[in-house]
Every structure is written in structure tokens, then in C-alpha cells.
Amino acid sequence: MTMLEIKNLHVRIEEEGTEIINGLNLSVKAGEVAAIMGPNGSGKSTLSYALAGRDGYEVTEGEVLFKGENILEMEPEERAASGVFLAFQYPVEIPGVATINFLKAAMNSQRKARGEAEFTTPEFIRTVKEAAGSLNISMEMLKRPLNVGFSGGEKKRAEILQMALLQPQLCVMDETDSGLDIDALKIVADGVNALRSPDRAFVVITHYQRLLQHIVPDSVHVLYDGKIIRSGDKDLALHLEEFGYADIIADAA
Amino acid sequence: MMLKKIENMTQAEDAMLAASTTLGSDKERAAAADTLRAHGLPTRRIEAWHYTDLRNQLKAFPENTQSASKKQAEEWLAKCSEFLPAFRLAFLNGAYVEGPAEVLPAGLTLQTGMSNGGYRDATDAVALINTMLAADGVNISIDADAAISEPVELLHGVIGDSASACRHSIALGAGASANFIERHISENGQSAFSNTVTELSLEKGANARWIIVQEEGEQTNHLGQLNVTLGQDAQLEILVMNAGGQLVRREINVVVNGSNSDLSIRGVNLIGDGSHIDVTTSLFHEAPDTISNEIFRNVATGNGKGVFQGEIRVAKDAQKTDARMACNTLLLSDEAEYSAKPELEIFADDVQCAHGATVTDILDDHLFYLRARGLSERDARALLVKAFVEEVFDEVEEDDLRDNLNARIENWLDNHG
């Protein structure tokens, strides 16, 4: 089953007026981990924001089908409730909102939107404790305000925890490896790998190959100038690591 | 001496003078009335009133204040909600209401009735009006080393289109400790006026918390003043919540005149459409080695307007003063306004003083993050606003007090979201 189908997508950043995604096509099947690699400025973050529905990222042409349904008219919260999850490159710090309260609000908002019963507090705490334990996240940390004062590793672990709790079907990971040391990278990758399943797809956006040593992709796509210019298997990532983007970009030109 | 007179008094000034006359002609009251006749209420030309033009913004003053009957007072008192379990002293339309007989906490003595008025000069309008109009109040003294565990609540209410003015005086002896709740309530639709002046003194080593909760109706004008003197080693925490009223001026004046004292002021101003809430504080550090920490968080919606004036004066002898002041505002609409004026006068050379004021909107980054996790835009905004204001009370240790204040904030936000 195709989980995500992006057809001829064009995205403009309203504030700058420039088109960043420029006729992008991509198909990701359920169970697949698709890596998107690209040099700086190729449109990686724009793609992730457009998928999540951020204001200011205007789709001027094309379609994004998630489980066969066009999601472009949906609000960010509707996309989230239907199963789209964006792991942020820079998770924002929100003072005054305890992480644990935020998690509960997020989980129950999504359950409510899907017409499911909201979690009771004991159910919720049990679920969180289980998921947090395997990511090395203490309940103490979850009492702190969301991401405030978290180290780079803690922030990314908190993102993965949210992913584990919200159980999305499409996980878009925007440069999850940025700002991580090797130990933190390993914990994050283990968390992601534990969530791999036949009915879930991942779009892993990254600059470097090193994340893909830990999260081994089924497909690798090179994003350049707002388009996918080359697709291949995991060996493509190794090629990029060794030779850089120059020859592939030259071939595409 | 003949005082000059203002030519055209406003309705509010005329009505205040008339109300003052009906209360009697004792010397102090009459002198205050003469001062008002001579100068009028302060306008924006007076620096302390630059952002709150009292003369022009105080559009109405009740002309027919009724004193509540015993039955009305009993009914009113019976339906007043509890803030926290407390030893309650209630004042309705400016008069003490005899409550159910309660045993006085040990170490506390009190006397209700009129105490001396007083005001600095014509620009000290809150106290001037109070001197003209107050006819009741309470004097409380707390014995040295007495620890009063039950909070003492001063509940002020108005029924009908009436005015209320009270003057209180509270003194904590050396080493005493006590908590106070100063509450102000009225209903929407009442064209009411409420005014209190409270003198609070803490002797050496005394420890107190003073909570001001103002939840008056949308057509109630409120002028309140708290004057504090803080002795050596004394600790005072002032918590302020303004969540109502039309034209509101809340003044807090603290003279820190004992060394090693510690003052904290934390407040929330929730400013709805049609509301103008002014918090004006002045802290005079007169003794060495003292700490003051002041933070206000404000939310303004509709065409709500807010003002914060924070004066800190550090005297030449007040070395090692550590004074911090912050005022942060969230504007939730394009018509809302906030003005913040910090004013630091430092005459000592070895001090730390910091002040900061911010006025912001909800950040798009925050909003998107929460929505991307499934919260609706409305829920996400509500969560962010709540977090912004509730942070002020994070450090309140007692869960019941903190939860109570936060519940009031949530209730206000639900009604004004």
C-alpha cells in the first residue's frame, strides 16, 4: 500500500515569494523508510513544513496524498490526528508548559479528533512511563517545561517519545541527527527502529549519511533545487558520503 | 487660607465631594475635599498619571451610594464564594459586615472602624479620595512572634450602583508571621466604585504574604493602594491578580527600611475588552543588603489597555541592594495596548538593579509546534497564554493557593478567549 504520494509538488515561502519546492515527486510505501538527502538550501525543511501544513508555506501546484487522501487542505492538527508526524529539526522551547501536560494534551486532542475515548490519567501515566523508559527519559525530565533547558539529545529524545506515544503512520523526520553526539544518535535511532513496522512509513530527511548507518533506509532520494534528482537504495547514501553531491547534480543538469 | 478652585468639576469630582460631605466634616476629610476642589483629579500632565488620565478616564462616580441593610449584607455574605479557608473580615459598600462569630486567631487583635486618613499631596489621588470617602476599615495587630496559620481575608464588595472606600492598618510585630488575602468583588452591570488604602508594617524578622485578588465587574472603577514598611530581616511576598474592573489603578508602595529584608512582588493582570488596568509600584530601598524581586505578566484582549510603572529608588546608604523587576505582556488583539515604564534612581554605588519589559504576541513557532502535535489552534493558544501567565505563580509553594490562582486565570481566559 502506498502511504505517501507526492505529485509534482510546488511550494512557495510566502514571506520570501520564492519557490523552494519545484515539481517534487515521491512515493513511499507502508513499511518503507525513505531517506531524503540533499545539500543545504535544497528544500529539505520546506518539504517537511509543507507536509505538516505550516502557515506561510504555500502549495502552488501538485498534490500530497496520504493513504490516498489529499491532505493539502487540512490544518496541521487535522494532519496530526490523521497520522502525520513531523519530528522537528529544532524542537521549540515552550516555557510554562510542563512536558507531561503537553503530552497528555497532544494525545487526547488526537484521540478526540478521531472520535476515540480520551486517556484517563492512570492509563496515560502508564503509557508514558513505558515509552519514556526505553528512551532513557526520566519522569523528572517530563515535569520540566517542554524542551526548556533540554540538551540537544534530550530534545530529540523527547521528539521520539512523542512519536512513540502518538503512534503516527507517517513520520517525517527533519534532520533529526543535527546537534546529536554519537551516543544520543544511537538512542534516537534505536527509538526509531523500534517503531518501524509494516503499517508505518518514515521520511528521514538528513544532510549526512551517518544517521543512515543506524536507521537503514529502504530507499534514498537526492533532493536538489526543490526536486528529487536521483533515487536509489541505501548504497546511494554511501556514494554521496564518499563523493558528495557534485556528480549527481552535474548529471541532472 | 483660601484655596483656588477648579472651574469646571467633572461629574466624578462633584459626586465624590458630595459623598464626602454626607460623611461628615471632620478636619481631615474636609481638608482632603478642599484639596480636590483646588486641584481636581490628576490628569496626564502629572507624571505619575501620564498613562492613566484619571480626571478624564474616570467617567462616572455613583451619586447615590446606599448603605446595605443588615439583611442585604447577610445575603451578600452568604453567597460570596470562598477564596481559601480564611478568617474573614467583610466590607460591603464600605462598611464592615458583622459575620458569623469566629474565634480570633491567638496573637491577633483587631478593631474595626475609622482610622486616620492621609495622603501625600493632590497627586496622591488614591489616598486623597480615600481620605475623603473612607468611613470604615480594620486595624489589626499581630503580637511579636505570633504565627497566625489561618489566612486573614479582607473581603470588599459593592452591591448596586454604589461606592465603597475602606482604610485598613495592619502591623506585624517582631518575628510574627501571617498571610492576608485582600479581595475585591462586584458584578458586571453595576456602575460601582471601589477604593481601599492599606498600611502594612512588618517589624524585625516578621514574615507575611499579602494576596490581592481583584475580580470586579466590568463597570466597576477601582483605586487601591498598599503602603508597606519593611523592617530588618523581614520577608514579604505580595501576589497580585487583577482580573476585572473597568478603570483600575493598583498602587503598591514599599519602603524597605531594614537591612537583610526580602521583598517579592508577583502579579498577573488580565485585561479584557473595555478594561484599563494600571499597576504602579514604588520600592524605596533605604537600608543595606536588601532584596526585591518584582515580576508582572499581563494579557490584554479586545481593546484592553494596561500600564505598569515600576519605580525603584536605592538610597545612598542602601549598599548591596539587589533589585530586579520584569514586566512581560502578551497582546492578544491588534487593539490591545500596554505601556511599561521602569524608573530607576540609584544613589548607592554597589548595587545590582535589573529591569526588563517585553510586549509580544504568541509566537508562530510555538503555535505551529503544538498544532503539529494535534492541538487545535484555539487549544494551542489557550495553553500558551495560560503557561505565560501561570509561570508567575510557579514558585508559590502551597498547592492549594497556586491551584486556586491558576483556576481563576483559566476561568478568565475561558471567558475572554
Side-chain angles (χ1 to χ4, degrees):
Chain A
M1 183 187 113
T2 305
M3 187 67 82
L4 175 70
E5 181 85 44
I6 303 178
K7 293 180 182 168
N8 188 32
L9 186 69
H10 291 253
V11 182
R12 201 168 63 105
I13 299 184
E14 272 169 25
E15 220 164 73
E16 297 160 24
T18 44
E19 201 160 82
I20 306 290
I21 299 293
N22 193 1
L24 185 144
N25 292 290
L26 179 71
S27 179
V28 184
K29 289 193 289 293
E32 182 179 344
V33 174
I36 296 189
M37 300 183 71
N40 284 334
S42 57
K44 299 195 296 294
S45 285
T46 301
L47 174 62
S48 65
Y49 285 146
L51 292 176
R54 181 162 198 162
D55 283 348
Y57 290 77
E58 190 195 352
V59 174
T60 52
E61 210 182 322
E63 275 186 324
V64 174
L65 305 177
F66 170 56
K67 295 185 287 184
E69 199 189 336
N70 193 347
I71 58 169
L72 290 176
E73 292 303 314
M74 290 161 71
E75 298 291 345
E77 57 269 32
E78 294 170 327
R79 299 185 197 198
S82 76
V84 178
F85 181 93
L86 169 62
F88 284 67
Q89 183 180 4
Y90 303 109
V92 297
E93 299 189 359
I94 306 190
V97 177
T99 308
I100 191 89
N101 294 344
F102 157 74
L103 292 174
K104 193 171 179 199
M107 288 171 79
N108 279 338
S109 294
Q110 294 201 12
R111 293 177 74 90
K112 206 170 133 193
R114 292 193 293 260
E116 298 163 17
E118 294 184 23
F119 271 122
T120 62
T121 302
E123 280 173 336
F124 165 75
I125 295 290
R126 193 168 356 100
T127 313
V128 171
K129 269 194 175 150
E130 246 177 59
S134 55
L135 285 160
N136 237 341
I137 293 174
S138 66
M139 290 308 277
E140 219 34 63
M141 176 174 147
L142 297 180
K143 285 180 189 156
R144 285 155 57 189
L146 183 59
N147 292 322
V148 176
F150 287 17
S151 68
E154 285 174 329
K155 283 181 183 167
K156 296 298 168 76
R157 263 150 51 204
E159 291 289 289
I160 305 305
L161 173 64
Q162 292 169 39
M163 195 192 277
L165 292 172
L166 294 168
Q167 295 280 322
Q169 286 178 284
L170 174 64
C171 306
V172 180
M173 307 188 60
D174 188 7
E175 305 214 22
T176 293
D177 48 338
S178 70
L180 291 188
D181 62 30
I182 193 71
D183 292 331
L185 184 70
K186 184 115 189 2
I187 295 173
V188 166
D190 289 348
V192 171
N193 288 331
L195 289 170
R196 289 177 79 151
S197 95
D199 52 11
R200 182 173 289 136
F202 287 83
V203 174
V204 179
I205 297 173
T206 181
H207 198 72
Y208 301 105
Q209 198 268 338
R210 74 170 187 166
L211 178 66
L212 305 179
Q213 288 171 351
H214 300 278
I215 304 172
V216 180
D218 301 301
S219 61
V220 175
H221 310 269
V222 178
L223 177 64
Y224 178 72
D225 206 10
K227 280 193 279 287
I228 301 295
I229 57 168
R230 176 79 63 92
S231 294
D233 61 13
K234 63 181 178 4
D235 294 338
L236 178 55
L238 296 171
H239 173 91
L240 290 171
E241 186 71 4
E242 198 171 340
F243 302 105
Y245 292 99
D247 61 332
I248 292 175
I249 291 169
D251 278 359
Chain B
M1 186 183 76
M2 273 300 289
L3 287 166
K4 71 178 169 78
K5 276 189 192 172
I6 293 257
E7 296 265 317
N8 296 306
M9 301 301 267
T10 63
Q11 181 276 339
E13 288 163 345
D14 275 334
M16 278 176 193
L17 287 164
S20 182
T21 309
T22 64
L23 288 168
S25 57
D26 57 284
K27 216 170 145 193
E28 210 173 27
R29 202 185 294 284
D34 281 341
T35 304
L36 182 68
R37 275 189 205 97
H39 298 273
L41 292 172
T43 67
R44 59 180 298 119
R45 285 199 296 276
I46 305 293
E47 200 191 336
W49 296 90
H50 183 71
Y51 299 99
T52 301
D53 188 326
L54 187 62
R55 188 159 204 260
N56 293 303
Q57 286 178 245
L58 186 65
K59 297 271 187 245
F61 185 88
E63 296 194 358
N64 294 300
T65 289
Q66 305 290 323
S67 34
S69 69
K70 193 161 185 296
K71 186 162 168 286
Q72 282 175 317
E74 277 165 6
E75 281 172 9
W76 170 78
L77 199 56
K79 72 175 172 58
C80 282
S81 64
E82 188 175 69
F83 178 77
L84 285 175
F87 175 76
R88 178 183 273 179
L89 298 160
F91 298 85
L92 180 60
N93 291 10
Y96 175 66
V97 177
E98 197 81 45
E102 278 189 80
V103 182
L104 277 186
L108 181 150
T109 48
L110 68 80
Q111 192 182 8
T112 56
M114 182 62 196
S115 46
N116 288 334
Y119 54 95
R120 216 173 42 243
D121 54 40
T123 67
D124 186 14
V126 178
L128 173 76
I129 293 169
N130 189 264
T131 303
M132 286 169 56
L133 299 176
D136 212 341
V138 64
N139 288 294
I140 297 176
S141 60
I142 296 179
D143 296 348
D145 297 319
I148 311 297
S149 55
E150 192 180 22
V152 177
E153 178 179 354
L154 306 179
L155 174 66
H156 306 83
V158 185
I159 52 172
D161 294 350
S162 290
S164 156
C166 293
R167 184 169 291 239
H168 309 300
S169 176
I170 287 135
L172 277 82
S177 67
N179 292 326
F180 299 88
I181 304 162
E182 176 189 342
R183 271 177 86 194
H184 300 274
I185 53 174
S186 65
E187 301 291 328
N188 288 343
Q190 279 178 254
S191 178
F193 178 86
S194 107
N195 168 238
T196 52
V197 172
T198 304
E199 310 291 330
L200 171 66
S201 66
L202 277 75
E203 297 276 313
K204 183 178 177 183
N207 184 323
R209 176 188 284 139
W210 189 274
I211 306 168
I212 300 170
V213 181
Q214 184 272 113
E215 294 173 306
E216 288 167 322
E218 290 167 2
Q219 290 83 32
T220 297
N221 294 315
H222 177 105
L223 302 176
Q225 188 179 73
L226 175 65
N227 300 312
V228 182
T229 55
L230 208 52
Q232 191 186 331
D233 302 321
Q235 283 184 30
L236 174 65
E237 179 179 37
I238 300 174
L239 302 176
V240 181
M241 188 161 88
N242 278 306
Q246 185 171 38
L247 178 64
V248 176
R249 168 93 156 194
R250 160 52 55 186
E251 297 178 355
I252 298 172
N253 305 310
V254 183
V255 179
V256 182
N257 60 11
S259 59
N260 293 309
S261 59
D262 187 342
L263 168 69
S264 149
I265 304 176
R266 313 181 73 81
V268 165
N269 295 304
L270 306 173
I271 309 166
D273 191 58
S275 214
H276 175 112
I277 298 182
D278 171 332
V279 171
T280 294
T281 67
S282 77
L283 313 183
F284 290 1
H285 287 263
E286 306 273 341
D289 301 305
T290 64
I291 297 172
S292 71
N293 224 315
E294 186 176 8
I295 178 165
F296 280 91
R297 288 274 167 99
N298 317 297
V299 174
T301 72
N303 66 3
K305 289 184 179 53
V307 177
F308 173 72
Q309 303 187 103
E311 181 187 6
I312 296 176
R313 196 170 75 188
V314 181
K316 194 157 173 280
D317 298 332
Q319 299 293 2
K320 307 280 184 196
T321 290
D322 184 345
R324 284 158 209 279
M325 176 165 70
C327 177
N328 312 111
T329 303
L330 255 189
L331 294 181
L332 298 182
S333 85
D334 292 342
E335 288 77 45
E337 282 178 25
Y338 204 90
S339 308
K341 185 181 79 172
E343 203 179 338
L344 269 57
E345 282 185 283
I346 301 168
F347 300 102
D349 53 15
D350 184 14
V351 301
Q352 290 197 54
C353 284
H355 68 86
T358 60
V359 178
T360 53
D361 189 2
I362 287 176
L363 295 174
D364 286 343
D365 278 359
H366 288 179
L367 206 52
F368 174 62
Y369 189 85
L370 296 178
R371 294 179 71 193
R373 293 294 175 261
L375 275 74
S376 69
E377 183 170 0
R378 190 190 151 88
D379 288 352
R381 275 185 188 279
L383 185 68
L384 291 169
V385 174
K386 190 164 91 75
F388 172 79
V389 283
E390 288 185 358
E391 240 190 332
V392 169
F393 299 132
D394 272 357
E395 285 174 30
V396 173
E397 278 170 23
E398 291 86 336
D399 290 344
D400 54 346
L401 173 58
R402 192 181 55 244
D403 292 349
N404 192 316
L405 290 165
N406 289 344
R408 280 156 201 276
I409 291 171
E410 276 162 44
N411 184 40
W412 188 93
L413 292 173
D414 283 347
N415 292 330
H416 295 81

